[in-house]
Coordinates of all heavy atoms in Angstrom, one line a residue:
M1 N -88.4 67.6 137.7 CA -88.9 68.9 137.7 C -89.4 69.3 136.3 O -88.8 68.9 135.3 CB -87.7 69.9 138.0 CG -88.2 71.3 138.2 SD -86.8 72.2 139.0 CE -87.0 73.7 138.2
S2 N -90.5 70.0 136.2 CA -91.1 70.3 134.9 C -90.3 71.4 134.2 O -89.5 72.1 134.8 CB -92.5 70.8 135.1 OG -92.5 71.9 135.8
D3 N -90.4 71.4 132.9 CA -89.6 72.4 132.1 C -90.4 73.6 131.8 O -91.7 73.7 131.9 CB -89.1 71.7 130.9 CG -90.1 71.1 130.0 OD1 -91.3 70.9 130.5 OD2 -89.8 70.7 128.9
E4 N -89.7 74.6 131.3 CA -90.4 75.9 130.9 C -91.4 75.7 129.8 O -92.5 76.4 129.9 CB -89.3 76.9 130.4 CG -88.3 77.2 131.5 CD -88.8 78.3 132.4 OE1 -89.6 79.1 132.0 OE2 -88.5 78.3 133.6
P5 N -91.2 74.9 128.7 CA -92.3 74.8 127.7 C -93.6 74.3 128.3 O -94.7 74.7 127.8 CB -91.7 73.8 126.7 CG -90.2 74.0 126.8 CD -90.0 74.2 128.3
S6 N -93.5 73.4 129.2 CA -94.8 72.9 129.8 C -95.5 74.0 130.6 O -96.7 74.1 130.5 CB -94.5 71.7 130.8 OG -93.9 70.6 130.1
L7 N -94.8 74.8 131.3 CA -95.4 75.9 132.1 C -96.0 76.9 131.1 O -97.1 77.4 131.3 CB -94.4 76.6 133.0 CG -94.9 77.8 133.8 CD1 -96.1 77.4 134.6 CD2 -93.8 78.4 134.6
A8 N -95.3 77.2 130.0 CA -95.8 78.1 129.0 C -97.1 77.6 128.4 O -98.0 78.4 128.2 CB -94.7 78.3 127.9
K9 N -97.2 76.3 128.2 CA -98.4 75.7 127.7 C -99.5 75.8 128.7 O -100.7 76.1 128.3 CB -98.2 74.2 127.3 CG -97.4 74.1 126.0 CD -97.0 72.7 125.7 CE -98.1 71.7 125.4 NZ -97.6 70.4 125.0
A10 N -99.2 75.6 129.9 CA -100.2 75.7 131.0 C -100.8 77.1 131.1 O -102.0 77.3 131.2 CB -99.7 75.2 132.3
L11 N -99.9 78.1 131.0 CA -100.3 79.5 131.0 C -101.1 79.8 129.8 O -102.1 80.6 129.9 CB -99.0 80.4 131.1 CG -98.3 80.3 132.5 CD1 -96.9 81.0 132.4 CD2 -99.1 80.9 133.6
L12 N -100.8 79.3 128.6 CA -101.6 79.5 127.4 C -103.0 79.0 127.6 O -104.0 79.6 127.3 CB -100.9 78.8 126.2 CG -101.7 78.9 124.9 CD1 -101.8 80.3 124.4 CD2 -100.9 78.0 123.9
G13 N -103.1 77.8 128.2 CA -104.4 77.2 128.5 C -105.2 78.1 129.5 O -106.4 78.3 129.2
A14 N -104.6 78.6 130.5 CA -105.3 79.4 131.5 C -105.7 80.7 130.9 O -106.8 81.2 131.1 CB -104.3 79.7 132.7
Q15 N -104.8 81.3 130.1 CA -105.2 82.6 129.4 C -106.3 82.4 128.4 O -107.2 83.2 128.4 CB -103.9 83.2 128.7 CG -104.2 84.5 128.0 CD -104.6 85.6 129.0 OE1 -104.1 85.7 130.1 NE2 -105.6 86.4 128.7
S16 N -106.3 81.3 127.7 CA -107.4 81.1 126.7 C -108.7 80.8 127.4 O -109.8 81.3 126.9 CB -107.0 79.8 125.9 OG -105.8 80.1 125.1
A17 N -108.7 80.2 128.6 CA -109.9 80.0 129.4 C -110.4 81.3 129.9 O -111.6 81.6 129.8 CB -109.6 79.0 130.5
L18 N -109.5 82.2 130.4 CA -109.9 83.5 130.9 C -110.6 84.3 129.8 O -111.5 85.1 130.1 CB -108.8 84.2 131.6 CG -108.3 83.6 132.9 CD1 -107.0 84.2 133.3 CD2 -109.4 83.8 134.0
E19 N -110.1 84.2 128.6 CA -110.6 85.0 127.5 C -112.1 84.6 127.2 O -112.8 85.4 126.7 CB -109.8 84.8 126.2 CG -108.5 85.5 126.3 CD -107.5 85.1 125.2 OE1 -107.9 84.4 124.2 OE2 -106.4 85.6 125.2
K20 N -112.5 83.4 127.6 CA -113.9 83.0 127.5 C -114.7 83.1 128.8 O -115.7 82.5 129.0 CB -114.0 81.6 126.9 CG -113.6 81.5 125.5 CD -114.4 82.4 124.6 CE -114.0 82.3 123.1 NZ -114.8 83.2 122.3
K21 N -114.1 83.9 129.7 CA -114.8 84.2 131.0 C -114.9 83.0 131.9 O -115.8 82.8 132.7 CB -116.1 84.8 130.8 CG -116.2 86.0 129.9 CD -116.0 87.3 130.6 CE -116.3 88.5 129.8 NZ -115.1 89.1 129.1
A22 N -113.9 82.1 131.8 CA -113.9 80.9 132.7 C -113.7 81.4 134.2 O -113.1 82.4 134.4 CB -112.7 80.0 132.4
E23 N -114.2 80.6 135.1 CA -114.1 81.0 136.5 C -113.2 80.0 137.2 O -113.1 78.9 136.8 CB -115.5 81.0 137.1 CG -116.5 82.0 136.5 CD -117.9 81.9 137.1 OE1 -118.2 80.9 137.8 OE2 -118.7 82.7 136.7
G24 N -112.6 80.5 138.3 CA -111.8 79.6 139.2 C -110.7 79.0 138.5 O -110.4 77.8 138.7
V25 N -110.0 79.7 137.6 CA -108.9 79.1 136.8 C -107.7 78.8 137.8 O -107.2 79.7 138.5 CB -108.5 80.0 135.7 CG1 -107.3 79.4 134.9 CG2 -109.7 80.3 134.8
R26 N -107.2 77.6 137.7 CA -106.1 77.2 138.5 C -105.1 76.4 137.7 O -105.5 75.6 136.9 CB -106.5 76.3 139.7 CG -107.5 77.0 140.7 CD -106.8 78.0 141.5 NE -107.8 78.6 142.5 CZ -108.5 79.7 142.3 NH1 -108.4 80.3 141.1 NH2 -109.3 80.1 143.2
I27 N -103.8 76.6 138.0 CA -102.8 75.8 137.4 C -102.1 75.0 138.5 O -101.6 75.6 139.5 CB -101.7 76.6 136.6 CG1 -102.3 77.4 135.5 CG2 -100.5 75.8 136.1 CD1 -101.4 78.4 134.8
L28 N -102.1 73.7 138.4 CA -101.5 72.8 139.4 C -100.2 72.1 138.8 O -100.4 71.5 137.8 CB -102.5 71.8 139.9 CG -103.8 72.3 140.4 CD1 -104.7 71.1 140.8 CD2 -103.5 73.2 141.6
N29 N -99.1 72.3 139.4 CA -97.9 71.6 139.0 C -98.0 70.2 139.7 O -97.9 70.1 140.9 CB -96.7 72.3 139.5 CG -95.4 71.7 139.0 OD1 -95.3 70.5 138.7 ND2 -94.3 72.4 139.0
V30 N -98.1 69.2 138.8 CA -98.2 67.8 139.3 C -97.1 66.9 138.9 O -97.1 65.7 139.0 CB -99.6 67.1 138.9 CG1 -100.8 67.9 139.6 CG2 -99.7 67.1 137.4
S31 N -96.0 67.6 138.4 CA -94.9 66.9 137.8 C -94.2 65.9 138.8 O -93.7 64.9 138.4 CB -93.9 67.8 137.2 OG -93.4 68.7 138.2
T32 N -94.2 66.3 140.1 CA -93.5 65.4 141.1 C -94.4 64.3 141.6 O -93.9 63.3 142.2 CB -93.1 66.3 142.3 OG1 -94.2 66.9 142.9 CG2 -92.1 67.3 141.9
I33 N -95.7 64.3 141.3 CA -96.6 63.2 141.7 C -97.2 62.5 140.6 O -98.0 61.5 140.8 CB -97.6 63.8 142.7 CG1 -98.5 64.8 142.1 CG2 -97.0 64.3 144.0 CD1 -99.7 65.3 142.9
S34 N -97.0 62.9 139.4 CA -97.7 62.3 138.2 C -96.6 61.8 137.2 O -95.7 62.5 136.9 CB -98.6 63.3 137.5 OG -99.1 62.8 136.3
G35 N -96.9 60.7 136.7 CA -96.0 60.1 135.7 C -96.5 60.4 134.2 O -95.9 60.0 133.3
F36 N -97.7 61.0 134.1 CA -98.2 61.2 132.8 C -98.4 62.6 132.3 O -98.6 62.9 131.2 CB -99.6 60.5 132.7 CG -100.7 61.0 133.5 CD1 -101.5 62.0 133.1 CD2 -100.8 60.6 134.8 CE1 -102.5 62.5 133.9 CE2 -101.8 61.1 135.6 CZ -102.7 62.0 135.2
T37 N -98.2 63.6 133.2 CA -98.4 65.0 132.8 C -97.6 65.9 133.8 O -97.3 65.4 135.0 CB -99.8 65.4 132.7 OG1 -99.9 66.7 132.1 CG2 -100.5 65.5 134.1
D38 N -97.3 67.1 133.4 CA -96.6 68.0 134.3 C -97.6 69.0 135.0 O -97.4 69.4 136.1 CB -95.6 68.8 133.5 CG -94.4 68.0 133.1 OD1 -94.1 67.0 133.7 OD2 -93.8 68.3 132.1
Y39 N -98.6 69.4 134.2 CA -99.6 70.4 134.8 C -101.0 70.1 134.5 O -101.3 69.5 133.5 CB -99.3 71.8 134.1 CG -98.0 72.4 134.6 CD1 -96.9 72.3 133.8 CD2 -98.0 73.2 135.7 CE1 -95.7 72.9 134.2 CE2 -96.8 73.8 136.1 CZ -95.6 73.6 135.4 OH -94.5 74.2 135.8
F40 N -101.9 70.4 135.5 CA -103.3 70.4 135.3 C -103.7 71.9 135.2 O -103.3 72.7 136.0 CB -104.0 69.8 136.5 CG -104.1 68.3 136.5 CD1 -104.3 67.7 137.7 CD2 -103.9 67.5 135.4 CE1 -104.4 66.3 137.8 CE2 -103.9 66.1 135.5 CZ -104.2 65.5 136.7
V41 N -104.6 72.2 134.3 CA -105.2 73.5 134.3 C -106.7 73.2 134.5 O -107.3 72.3 133.9 CB -105.1 74.2 132.9 CG1 -105.9 75.5 132.9 CG2 -103.6 74.5 132.6
I42 N -107.3 73.8 135.6 CA -108.6 73.5 136.0 C -109.4 74.8 136.0 O -108.9 75.8 136.5 CB -108.7 72.9 137.4 CG1 -107.8 71.6 137.4 CG2 -110.1 72.6 137.9 CD1 -107.6 71.0 138.8
C43 N -110.6 74.7 135.4 CA -111.5 75.9 135.4 C -112.9 75.5 135.3 O -113.2 74.3 135.1 CB -111.1 76.9 134.2 SG -111.3 76.2 132.6
S44 N -113.8 76.4 135.3 CA -115.2 76.1 135.2 C -116.0 77.1 134.4 O -115.6 78.3 134.3 CB -115.9 75.8 136.6 OG -115.7 76.9 137.4
G45 N -117.2 76.7 133.9 CA -118.1 77.6 133.2 C -119.4 77.5 133.8 O -119.7 76.5 134.5
T46 N -120.3 78.4 133.5 CA -121.6 78.4 134.1 C -122.7 77.7 133.3 O -123.8 77.5 133.8 CB -122.1 79.9 134.3 OG1 -122.1 80.6 133.1 CG2 -121.1 80.6 135.3
S47 N -122.4 77.3 132.1 CA -123.3 76.6 131.2 C -122.6 75.6 130.3 O -121.4 75.7 130.2 CB -124.2 77.5 130.4 OG -123.3 78.1 129.3
D48 N -123.3 74.6 129.8 CA -122.6 73.6 128.9 C -122.1 74.3 127.7 O -121.0 74.0 127.2 CB -123.6 72.5 128.6 CG -124.9 72.9 127.9 OD1 -125.2 74.1 127.9 OD2 -125.6 72.1 127.3
R49 N -122.8 75.3 127.2 CA -122.3 76.1 126.0 C -121.0 76.8 126.3 O -120.1 76.9 125.5 CB -123.3 77.1 125.5 CG -124.7 76.4 125.2 CD -124.9 76.1 123.8 NE -124.4 77.2 122.9 CZ -124.8 77.3 121.7 NH1 -125.6 76.4 121.2 NH2 -124.3 78.3 120.9
Q50 N -120.9 77.4 127.5 CA -119.7 78.1 127.9 C -118.5 77.1 128.1 O -117.4 77.4 127.7 CB -119.9 78.9 129.2 CG -118.6 79.7 129.5 CD -118.7 80.5 130.8 OE1 -119.5 80.1 131.7 NE2 -117.8 81.5 131.0
V51 N -118.8 76.0 128.7 CA -117.8 74.9 128.9 C -117.2 74.5 127.5 O -116.0 74.4 127.3 CB -118.3 73.7 129.6 CG1 -117.4 72.5 129.5 CG2 -118.6 74.1 131.1
Q52 N -118.1 74.4 126.5 CA -117.6 74.0 125.2 C -116.9 75.2 124.5 O -115.9 74.9 123.8 CB -118.9 73.6 124.3 CG -119.5 72.3 124.7 CD -120.8 72.1 124.1 OE1 -121.5 73.0 123.7 NE2 -121.2 70.8 123.9
A53 N -117.3 76.4 124.7 CA -116.6 77.5 124.2 C -115.2 77.7 124.8 O -114.2 78.0 124.1 CB -117.4 78.8 124.4
I54 N -115.1 77.4 126.1 CA -113.8 77.4 126.7 C -112.9 76.4 126.1 O -111.7 76.6 125.8 CB -113.9 77.3 128.2 CG1 -114.6 78.5 128.8 CG2 -112.5 77.1 128.9 CD1 -115.1 78.2 130.3
A55 N -113.4 75.2 125.9 CA -112.7 74.1 125.3 C -112.2 74.4 123.9 O -111.1 74.2 123.5 CB -113.5 72.8 125.3
D56 N -113.1 75.0 123.1 CA -112.8 75.4 121.8 C -111.7 76.5 121.8 O -110.7 76.4 120.9 CB -114.0 76.0 121.1 CG -115.1 75.0 120.7 OD1 -114.7 73.8 120.7 OD2 -116.2 75.4 120.5
S57 N -111.7 77.4 122.6 CA -110.7 78.5 122.7 C -109.4 77.9 123.1 O -108.3 78.3 122.4 CB -111.1 79.5 123.8 OG -110.2 80.5 123.9
I58 N -109.3 77.0 124.0 CA -108.0 76.4 124.4 C -107.5 75.5 123.3 O -106.3 75.6 123.0 CB -108.2 75.6 125.7 CG1 -108.6 76.5 126.9 CG2 -107.0 74.8 126.0 CD1 -109.0 75.8 128.1
S59 N -108.3 74.7 122.7 CA -107.9 73.9 121.6 C -107.3 74.7 120.4 O -106.3 74.3 119.9 CB -109.0 73.0 121.1 OG -109.4 72.1 122.1
Y60 N -108.0 75.8 120.1 CA -107.6 76.6 119.0 C -106.2 77.3 119.3 O -105.3 77.3 118.5 CB -108.6 77.7 118.7 CG -108.2 78.7 117.7 CD1 -108.2 78.3 116.3 CD2 -107.7 80.0 118.0 CE1 -107.8 79.2 115.3 CE2 -107.3 80.8 117.0 CZ -107.4 80.5 115.7 OH -107.0 81.3 114.7
A61 N -106.1 77.8 120.5 CA -104.8 78.4 120.9 C -103.6 77.4 120.9 O -102.6 77.8 120.4 CB -104.9 79.0 122.3
F62 N -103.9 76.2 121.4 CA -102.8 75.2 121.3 C -102.5 74.8 119.9 O -101.3 74.7 119.6 CB -103.2 74.0 122.2 CG -102.9 74.1 123.6 CD1 -103.5 75.0 124.4 CD2 -101.9 73.3 124.2 CE1 -103.2 75.1 125.8 CE2 -101.6 73.4 125.5 CZ -102.3 74.3 126.3
K63 N -103.5 74.6 119.1 CA -103.3 74.2 117.7 C -102.5 75.3 117.0 O -101.6 75.0 116.2 CB -104.6 74.0 117.0 CG -104.5 73.5 115.6 CD -105.9 73.2 115.0 CE -105.7 72.8 113.5 NZ -107.0 72.5 112.9
K64 N -102.8 76.6 117.2 CA -102.2 77.7 116.6 C -100.7 77.7 117.0 O -99.8 78.2 116.2 CB -102.8 79.0 117.1 CG -102.6 80.2 116.2 CD -103.6 81.3 116.6 CE -102.9 82.6 116.6 NZ -103.7 83.7 117.0
Q65 N -100.4 77.3 118.2 CA -99.0 77.2 118.6 C -98.3 75.9 118.2 O -97.1 75.7 118.6 CB -98.9 77.4 120.1 CG -99.4 78.7 120.7 CD -98.4 79.8 120.4 OE1 -97.2 79.6 120.5 NE2 -98.9 81.0 120.1
G66 N -99.0 75.0 117.5 CA -98.4 73.8 117.1 C -98.4 72.6 118.1 O -97.7 71.7 118.0
H67 N -99.3 72.7 119.1 CA -99.5 71.7 120.1 C -100.8 70.9 119.8 O -101.9 71.4 120.1 CB -99.5 72.3 121.5 CG -98.4 73.2 121.8 ND1 -97.1 72.8 121.8 CD2 -98.3 74.5 122.1 CE1 -96.3 73.8 122.1 NE2 -97.0 74.9 122.3
P68 N -100.7 69.7 119.4 CA -101.9 68.9 119.1 C -102.6 68.4 120.3 O -101.9 68.2 121.3 CB -101.4 67.8 118.2 CG -100.0 67.6 118.7 CD -99.5 68.9 119.0
V69 N -103.9 68.3 120.3 CA -104.6 67.7 121.4 C -104.6 66.2 121.1 O -104.8 65.7 120.1 CB -106.1 68.2 121.5 CG1 -106.9 67.9 120.3 CG2 -106.7 67.6 122.8
Y70 N -104.1 65.4 122.2 CA -104.0 64.0 122.0 C -105.4 63.3 122.3 O -105.6 62.2 121.7 CB -103.0 63.4 123.0 CG -101.6 63.9 122.6 CD1 -100.9 64.7 123.6 CD2 -101.0 63.7 121.4 CE1 -99.6 65.2 123.3 CE2 -99.7 64.2 121.1 CZ -99.0 64.9 122.0 OH -97.8 65.4 121.7
S71 N -106.2 63.9 123.1 CA -107.4 63.2 123.5 C -108.4 64.3 124.0 O -108.0 65.2 124.7 CB -107.2 62.1 124.5 OG -108.5 61.6 124.9
T72 N -109.7 64.2 123.7 CA -110.7 65.0 124.2 C -111.8 64.1 124.7 O -112.2 63.2 124.0 CB -111.3 66.0 123.1 OG1 -110.2 66.7 122.5 CG2 -112.4 66.9 123.6
E73 N -112.3 64.4 125.9 CA -113.4 63.7 126.5 C -114.4 64.6 127.0 O -114.1 65.7 127.5 CB -112.9 62.8 127.7 CG -111.8 61.8 127.3 CD -112.3 60.6 126.5 OE1 -113.6 60.3 126.6 OE2 -111.6 60.1 125.7
G74 N -115.7 64.2 126.9 CA -116.8 65.0 127.5 C -117.3 66.2 126.8 O -118.2 66.9 127.3
Y75 N -116.8 66.5 125.6 CA -117.1 67.7 124.9 C -118.6 67.8 124.5 O -119.3 68.8 124.7 CB -116.3 67.9 123.6 CG -116.6 69.2 122.9 CD1 -115.9 70.4 123.2 CD2 -117.5 69.2 121.9 CE1 -116.2 71.5 122.5 CE2 -117.8 70.4 121.2 CZ -117.2 71.5 121.5 OH -117.5 72.7 120.9
T76 N -119.2 66.7 124.0 CA -120.6 66.7 123.6 C -121.5 67.0 124.7 O -122.5 67.8 124.4 CB -120.9 65.3 123.0 OG1 -120.0 65.0 122.0 CG2 -122.3 65.2 122.5
D77 N -121.3 66.5 125.9 CA -122.2 66.9 127.0 C -122.0 68.2 127.6 O -122.9 68.9 128.1 CB -122.1 65.8 128.1 CG -122.6 64.5 127.7 OD1 -123.5 64.4 126.8 OD2 -122.1 63.5 128.3
G78 N -120.7 68.7 127.5 CA -120.4 70.0 128.0 C -120.5 70.2 129.5 O -120.6 71.3 130.0
R79 N -120.4 69.0 130.2 CA -120.4 69.1 131.7 C -119.0 69.0 132.3 O -118.8 69.7 133.3 CB -121.3 67.9 132.2 CG -122.8 68.1 131.8 CD -123.6 66.9 132.0 NE -123.4 66.2 133.2 CZ -124.0 66.5 134.4 NH1 -124.9 67.5 134.4 NH2 -123.8 65.8 135.4
W80 N -118.2 68.2 131.7 CA -116.8 68.1 132.2 C -116.0 67.7 131.0 O -116.0 66.6 130.5 CB -116.7 67.1 133.3 CG -115.3 66.8 133.8 CD1 -114.1 67.4 133.4 CD2 -114.9 65.9 134.8 NE1 -113.1 66.9 134.1 CE2 -113.6 65.9 135.0 CE3 -115.7 65.0 135.6 CZ2 -112.9 65.1 135.9 CZ3 -115.0 64.2 136.5 CH2 -113.6 64.3 136.7
V81 N -115.2 68.7 130.5 CA -114.4 68.4 129.3 C -112.9 68.3 129.7 O -112.4 69.1 130.5 CB -114.5 69.6 128.3 CG1 -113.6 69.3 127.1 CG2 -115.9 69.7 127.8
L82 N -112.3 67.2 129.2 CA -110.9 67.0 129.5 C -110.2 67.1 128.2 O -110.6 66.5 127.2 CB -110.7 65.6 130.1 CG -109.2 65.2 130.4 CD1 -109.2 64.5 131.7 CD2 -108.6 64.4 129.3
L83 N -109.1 67.9 128.1 CA -108.3 68.1 127.0 C -106.9 67.6 127.3 O -106.3 68.2 128.3 CB -108.2 69.5 126.5 CG -109.6 70.2 126.2 CD1 -109.4 71.7 126.0 CD2 -110.2 69.6 124.9
D84 N -106.3 66.6 126.6 CA -105.0 66.1 127.0 C -104.0 66.6 125.9 O -104.1 66.2 124.7 CB -105.1 64.6 127.0 CG -103.8 63.9 127.3 OD1 -102.8 64.6 127.5 OD2 -103.8 62.7 127.4
F85 N -103.1 67.4 126.3 CA -102.0 67.9 125.5 C -100.7 67.2 125.8 O -99.6 67.8 125.5 CB -101.9 69.4 125.6 CG -103.1 70.1 125.1 CD1 -104.1 70.5 125.9 CD2 -103.4 70.3 123.7 CE1 -105.3 71.2 125.5 CE2 -104.5 70.9 123.2 CZ -105.4 71.4 124.1
G86 N -100.7 66.1 126.5 CA -99.5 65.4 126.9 C -99.0 66.0 128.2 O -99.3 65.5 129.3
D87 N -98.1 67.0 128.2 CA -97.5 67.5 129.4 C -98.5 68.5 130.1 O -98.2 68.9 131.3 CB -96.2 68.2 129.2 CG -96.2 69.2 128.0 OD1 -97.2 69.3 127.3 OD2 -95.2 69.9 127.9
V88 N -99.6 68.8 129.5 CA -100.6 69.6 130.1 C -102.0 69.0 129.9 O -102.3 68.6 128.8 CB -100.6 71.1 129.5 CG1 -101.8 71.9 130.1 CG2 -99.3 71.8 129.8
V89 N -102.7 68.8 131.0 CA -104.1 68.3 130.9 C -105.0 69.4 131.4 O -104.8 69.9 132.5 CB -104.3 67.0 131.7 CG1 -105.7 66.5 131.7 CG2 -103.3 65.9 131.1
V90 N -106.1 69.7 130.6 CA -107.0 70.7 131.0 C -108.3 70.1 131.4 O -108.9 69.3 130.6 CB -107.2 71.7 129.8 CG1 -108.2 72.8 130.2 CG2 -105.9 72.3 129.4
H91 N -108.9 70.5 132.5 CA -110.2 70.1 133.0 C -111.1 71.3 133.0 O -110.8 72.3 133.7 CB -110.1 69.5 134.4 CG -109.3 68.3 134.5 ND1 -109.8 67.0 134.4 CD2 -108.0 68.1 134.8 CE1 -108.9 66.1 134.5 NE2 -107.8 66.7 134.8
I92 N -112.2 71.2 132.3 CA -113.2 72.3 132.3 C -114.5 71.8 132.8 O -115.1 70.9 132.2 CB -113.4 72.9 130.9 CG1 -112.0 73.2 130.2 CG2 -114.3 74.1 130.9 CD1 -112.1 73.3 128.7
F93 N -114.9 72.2 133.9 CA -116.1 71.7 134.6 C -117.3 72.7 134.5 O -117.1 73.9 134.5 CB -115.8 71.6 136.1 CG -114.9 70.5 136.5 CD1 -113.5 70.8 136.7 CD2 -115.4 69.3 136.8 CE1 -112.7 69.8 137.1 CE2 -114.5 68.3 137.2 CZ -113.1 68.5 137.3
L94 N -118.5 72.1 134.5 CA -119.7 72.9 134.7 C -119.6 73.2 136.2 O -119.2 72.3 137.0 CB -120.9 72.1 134.4 CG -122.2 72.8 134.3 CD1 -122.2 73.9 133.3 CD2 -123.3 71.8 134.0
D95 N -120.0 74.4 136.6 CA -119.8 74.8 138.0 C -120.3 73.8 139.0 O -119.6 73.5 140.0 CB -120.6 76.1 138.3 CG -119.8 77.4 138.0 OD1 -118.6 77.3 138.0 OD2 -120.4 78.4 137.8
A96 N -121.5 73.3 138.9 CA -122.1 72.3 139.8 C -121.3 71.0 139.9 O -121.1 70.5 141.0 CB -123.5 72.0 139.4
L97 N -120.7 70.6 138.8 CA -119.9 69.4 138.9 C -118.5 69.6 139.6 O -118.0 68.8 140.3 CB -119.6 68.9 137.4 CG -120.7 67.9 137.0 CD1 -121.0 68.1 135.5 CD2 -120.2 66.5 137.2
R98 N -118.0 70.8 139.3 CA -116.7 71.1 140.0 C -116.9 71.2 141.5 O -116.0 70.7 142.2 CB -116.2 72.5 139.5 CG -114.8 72.8 140.1 CD -114.2 74.0 139.5 NE -112.9 74.3 140.0 CZ -112.1 75.2 139.6 NH1 -112.5 76.0 138.6 NH2 -110.9 75.5 140.2
E99 N -118.0 71.7 142.0 CA -118.3 71.7 143.4 C -118.4 70.3 144.0 O -117.9 70.0 145.0 CB -119.6 72.4 143.7 CG -119.5 73.9 143.5 CD -120.8 74.6 143.8 OE1 -121.7 74.1 144.4 OE2 -120.9 75.8 143.2
Y100 N -119.0 69.4 143.2 CA -119.1 68.0 143.6 C -117.8 67.3 143.7 O -117.5 66.6 144.7 CB -120.1 67.3 142.6 CG -120.3 65.8 143.0 CD1 -121.2 65.5 144.0 CD2 -119.6 64.8 142.3 CE1 -121.4 64.1 144.4 CE2 -119.8 63.5 142.7 CZ -120.7 63.2 143.7 OH -120.9 61.8 144.0
Y101 N -117.0 67.5 142.7 CA -115.7 66.8 142.6 C -114.6 67.6 143.3 O -113.6 67.1 143.7 CB -115.2 66.5 141.2 CG -116.1 65.4 140.6 CD1 -117.1 65.7 139.6 CD2 -115.9 64.1 140.9 CE1 -117.9 64.7 139.1 CE2 -116.7 63.1 140.3 CZ -117.7 63.4 139.4 OH -118.5 62.4 138.9

């Protein structure tokens, strides 16, 4: 079972995404089916610039709280950004890509 700090981090990610007008924000508890993380935060943006802005907002909020990002993928293209914070993994999709996947 996931712990309270992981849920708080997932909620922080979701709130940070919403502050940049992310769409379709979802938090998925995957702790019972995943061995590498407790939560996925999934959201989308309408442009590559918005996807990057959402990623920046989330990264900043986590850093401010003392949670380092372990890995970032896809930021340069701004089509699908993955931010790995260990117990929370954030996926930020460009709308069209989210529909596809």
Side-chain angles (χ1 to χ4, degrees):
M1 186 166 145
S2 62
D3 55 347
E4 295 281 328
S6 296
L7 178 56
K9 285 171 68 175
L11 290 169
L12 176 64
Q15 182 61 41
S16 299
L18 288 168
E19 288 172 3
K20 292 298 179 183
K21 310 268 192 264
E23 298 176 352
V25 180
R26 301 287 183 265
I27 297 174
L28 304 176
N29 182 341
V30 295
S31 60
T32 59
I33 58 172
S34 171
F36 64 92
T37 194
D38 292 333
Y39 289 95
F40 281 159
V41 177
I42 301 171
C43 62
S44 53
T46 57
S47 71
D48 57 345
R49 303 263 318 197
Q50 185 186 19
V51 168
Q52 291 169 334
I54 294 166
D56 289 341
S57 177
I58 293 169
S59 294
Y60 177 76
F62 273 68
K63 183 177 180 180
K64 199 168 142 182
Q65 295 287 322
H67 308 298
V69 62
Y70 297 118
S71 179
T72 301
E73 299 290 332
Y75 182 87
T76 303
D77 292 334
R79 295 167 43 85
W80 177 0
V81 177
L82 182 139
L83 303 171
D84 182 357
F85 296 98
D87 53 349
V88 175
V89 174
V90 180
H91 296 271
I92 310 160
F93 290 93
L94 191 60
D95 273 339
L97 271 142
R98 185 170 180 179
E99 287 177 23
Y100 180 79
Y101 289 104

